[in-house]
């Protein structure tokens, strides 16, 4: 038997917010996987710097996917959790080859910015429903991804 959720947000609003967060989760997980891949496979004169930077980034992303999924659950919706679901929901492209270091950086900048756009697209729905916890999560995610994109861009400036 399913319990009633009464947190001051209508069911249809909770569902719409959770749907947006599911897209954010898929983007975040896809970015996590790509960043981890690049951490393993980066080569060249910037190896040590990028290897370390990518590790910091994928570690942060691993924490983020948990926070996003837990927010979806708090809204009373099941969080997606399979590669297929993430592939269907993400706006990011996977990388199956091993690009050079500068191309890795370019891709990660593009993907960090895409995650910001996904988070930003969910914000009006959360704000309209007075869902402050989701709005706070989205604000934090946008801030982190915007800063990370800036730092990555500075590596190839």
């Amino acid at each position: 038997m399913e319990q009633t959720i009464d947190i001051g947000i209508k069911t249809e609003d909770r569902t719409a917010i959770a749907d947006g967060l599911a897209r954010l989760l898929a983007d975040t997980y896809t970015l996590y996987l790509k960043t981890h891949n690049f951490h393993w496979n980066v080569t060249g004169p910037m190896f040590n710097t990028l290897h370390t930077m990518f590790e910091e980034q994928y570690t942060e992303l691993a924490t983020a996917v948990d926070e996003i999924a837990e927010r979806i659950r708090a809204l009373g919706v099941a969080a997606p959790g399979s590669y297929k679901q993430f592939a269907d929901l993400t706006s990011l492209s996977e990388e199956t080859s091993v690009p050079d270091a500068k191309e890795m950086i370019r891709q990660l900048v593009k993907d960090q910015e895409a995650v910001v756009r996904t988070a930003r697209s969910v914000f009006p729905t959360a704000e309209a429903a007075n869902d402050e916890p989701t709005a706070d999560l989205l604000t934090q995610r946008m801030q982190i991804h915007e800063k990370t994109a800036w730092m990555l861009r500075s590596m190839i400036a």
Side-chain angles (χ1 to χ4, degrees):
M1 180 170 136
E2 190 173 310
Q3 294 180 324
T4 302
I5 296 173
D6 185 10
I7 58 173
I9 302 172
K10 292 184 277 183
T11 301
E12 57 271 13
D13 291 337
R14 285 188 293 105
T15 301
I17 293 164
D19 288 347
L21 288 174
R23 289 185 288 109
L24 180 62
L25 178 61
D27 278 0
T28 305
Y29 196 89
T30 303
L31 181 57
Y32 160 82
L33 192 59
K34 183 182 273 188
T35 305
H36 211 153
N37 172 20
F38 289 173
H39 164 78
W40 290 328
N41 290 301
V42 68
T43 59
M46 294 190 292
F47 169 79
N48 197 46
T49 300
L50 291 177
H51 186 74
T52 301
M53 179 186 269
F54 294 163
E55 182 174 12
E56 290 168 4
Q57 291 171 6
Y58 79 69
T59 301
E60 193 283 326
L61 290 162
T63 301
V65 295
D66 200 48
E67 291 171 355
I68 297 164
E70 287 177 356
R71 183 63 197 152
I72 293 169
R73 294 299 299 135
L75 291 168
V77 178
S82 72
Y83 287 123
K84 177 161 180 18
Q85 288 172 306
F86 291 152
D88 290 344
L89 289 167
T90 191
S91 67
L92 308 184
S93 298
E94 285 189 299
E95 179 56 70
T96 56
S97 68
V98 180
D100 66 30
K102 284 190 177 180
E103 179 58 23
M104 287 178 176
I105 295 168
R106 281 188 202 92
Q107 285 188 33
L108 292 177
V109 167
K110 183 177 150 245
D111 291 348
Q112 291 282 345
E113 291 172 345
V115 176
V116 171
R117 291 190 303 274
T118 298
R120 196 175 307 281
S121 74
V122 182
F123 201 89
T125 307
E127 192 172 45
N130 295 316
D131 182 358
E132 291 84 359
T134 297
D136 182 54
L137 174 66
L138 293 168
T139 300
Q140 289 176 39
R141 296 311 314 151
M142 287 186 286
Q143 209 169 14
I144 289 165
H145 291 290
E146 287 175 0
K147 182 177 180 179
T148 303
W150 158 61
M151 292 182 152
L152 286 164
R153 274 193 303 273
S154 72
M155 298 288 297
I156 54 174

